Structures are given as structure tokens and as C-alpha cells.
Amino acid sequence: MCNLYSITTNQATISALFRVVNRYVGNLPPMPGVFPDYKAPIVRNSDEGRELATARWGMPSSSKALMDSTKKRAEKLQAKGKAVNFKELLRMEPDSGTTNIRNVKSKHWTRWLGPEHRCLVPFNSFSEFNKAEGGDIWFAIDETRPLLCFAGIWTNWTSVRKVKEAETTNDLYAFLTTEPNAEVGAIHPKAMPVILTTAEEVETWMTTPAEEALKLQRPLPDGALRIVARGVKEDAATATAEVRGSGHL
């Protein structure tokens, strides 16, 4: 599960590379470590064209997951002799979100698979954790860490992200995962993010019907990634804007 990545390329380069028409972000500093629930840049569709915005990492969790966690909290409160309003407890159940999406056939996710809810998540490198290999293991196309993007989805949602915040409305995002290629599989055998490396793949993800777009939910070829750092929570290396692959963005 990828719960850490970096985006250190500046917003002008991101906008140029992904053909952004409108920007709805202020100053966008380098983010050598993006963690779950952090606000980070995404590129999404709008009526005027693609726009660059920021959103919090973590799509709404399923109603079952929230129901299960609320039941556990209710049981603890009842064990202490406290009265429980279950409906209100469920409404206020904290949900920091789901960062990685694998089962796109789930009804929970199918509602957000249309082009209007798809997005690009720019990144330069991403980490998979493996304690035996040194902790956080960072992957990129090569040492120059060219700008790429994950295949993501987004929505606007009202929920309780953190207890101290109470109920808030936010733009949220997550990205798809798939089986790992050889390099990632050696570190994390369960999954890797879905990565788009060419302009053609970006266009397919952002514009085509879900049946066609979801063909991109596949690993990169073996040999396409390199380990560029180990054992650090941030990958602050300077990145380039170039995209490597069968084409160029």
C-alpha cells in the first residue's frame, strides 16, 4: 500500500506538462513527503478544461467500514455506562479516508469512475514500506525523478476527517493500485500504484468511458522503476519535468 509519495516539481511545470487551463492553488511549495490526509495537487476536468487544484488524500471510506468502526465505538461507550445516539455517532465517526483503491467493481467506487471524477495525481517518487529492507523504500523512473502521475479519482465530500475539526467539506482524492511489477514486488508483494507515463495514457484516463480507462489499471513493465532512496520519510532530491516512457506528456 502506497501511503507516502513526493511531488517536488513546481506548479508551472505541472500545469504545462498536463495541459492545465485553470489553476486554483496558491503558492505550491515542494512536498518531499505527502502523507495520508495531506493536501496535495491534483489535475481534474472542468467545463473550461483541465484545472490544477489541491485536495486531501483519502477518498470517503465505505459505509460498511464506517458502520463497523461506529459499532465498536458505541460498544466501548456503552460498556462505560454512557448513553449512545447511534445515528449521531455514525454521522460524526472520524474518517481519514481510503488512499489506495484496488477493487474498482465495488459499488462504493463505481459512482466516481466517470471522467468528471477522474484526476491525475502528479508525483516524482513514491515509497513502499519494508522494515527488513530499511524502512521506506522510494521508487522513481530513474535518479532524475521525472514528473509522472498516478491514475486518481476525486470528489467533494462532507464528513468528519479528524475529531478536532468536526464536520467539514473537502475535495478528496485517492489513486488506483494494481499488482506490482518486479521491482516493487520485491519490496511490497501485494500492490503498486497505477502510474501513467505517456500523453496517450493521460488522455485515455481523463476522457474515455470507464471500461476503456480501467484497462490502465496494470503494473508498469518490469525494469521500469528504480529504487532511488531508502530509510527516509521524505525524498527531497531535485526532480526534472521530463517524462520517460513510450511517449512524452
Side-chain angles (χ1 to χ4, degrees):
M1 182 181 293
C2 176
N3 275 330
L4 176 60
Y5 69 94
S6 77
I7 173 64
T8 54
T9 298
N10 64 55
Q11 65 174 290
T13 302
I14 294 171
S15 295
L17 201 59
F18 298 123
R19 301 170 188 169
V20 169
V21 175
N22 296 317
R23 303 181 199 174
Y24 294 97
V25 296
N27 180 39
L28 189 64
M31 301 183 70
V34 181
F35 294 86
D37 206 37
Y38 275 31
K39 290 188 73 172
I42 62 171
V43 176
R44 61 190 179 189
N45 294 316
S46 72
D47 292 340
E48 292 77 31
R50 289 185 194 156
E51 61 184 27
L52 180 64
T54 57
R56 292 173 75 159
W57 186 14
M59 286 285 284
S61 297
S62 69
S63 55
K64 182 182 184 305
L66 292 175
M67 180 67 73
D68 289 347
S69 57
T70 303
K71 285 179 179 177
K72 290 180 181 179
R73 197 149 62 98
E75 289 170 359
K76 289 180 180 179
L77 290 171
Q78 289 168 339
K80 296 178 180 178
K82 296 183 179 180
V84 171
N85 181 334
F86 190 83
K87 185 177 180 180
E88 182 64 13
L89 203 65
L90 179 62
R91 185 177 74 85
M92 298 302 291
E93 180 65 25
D95 177 23
S96 58
T98 299
T99 56
N100 294 196
I101 298 166
R102 183 71 171 267
N103 181 17
V104 292
K105 294 181 180 180
S106 163
K107 289 184 179 179
H108 180 68
W109 301 121
T110 53
R111 70 183 111 171
W112 294 310
L113 292 179
E116 68 277 11
H117 283 286
R118 288 187 223 142
C119 67
L120 311 173
V121 183
F123 80 96
N124 296 100
S125 60
F126 69 93
S127 171
E128 299 287 3
F129 188 83
N130 185 318
K131 186 176 181 180
E133 294 292 333
D136 284 290
I137 311 300
W138 290 85
F139 295 91
I141 290 293
D142 59 35
E143 294 288 344
T144 66
R145 298 159 172 80
L147 180 62
L148 299 173
C149 61
F150 302 124
I153 61 175
W154 77 278
T155 193
N156 183 266
W157 196 256
T158 300
S159 63
V160 177
R161 300 290 287 186
K162 297 178 180 179
V163 173
K164 64 181 179 181
E165 293 181 2
E167 200 170 52
T168 58
T169 300
N170 303 275
D171 285 345
L172 309 175
Y173 75 96
F175 46 77
L176 272 56
T177 60
T178 185
E179 62 271 14
N181 68 355
E183 299 85 72
V184 177
I187 300 299
H188 184 68
K190 293 185 177 180
M192 70 172 290
V194 173
I195 298 171
L196 310 178
T197 64
T198 70
E200 291 76 18
E201 290 173 353
V202 165
E203 288 301 317
T204 296
W205 180 248
M206 295 296 278
T207 64
T208 64
E211 182 179 358
E212 182 69 20
L214 289 173
K215 292 178 182 178
L216 293 168
Q217 192 181 21
R218 78 289 178 262
L220 290 186
D222 294 346
L225 293 168
R226 300 284 183 272
I227 293 175
V228 295
R230 291 177 183 263
V232 290
K233 287 294 185 183
E234 294 186 345
D235 183 28
T238 302
T240 73
E242 185 180 355
V243 173
R244 308 289 172 84
S246 59
H248 298 277
L249 294 182

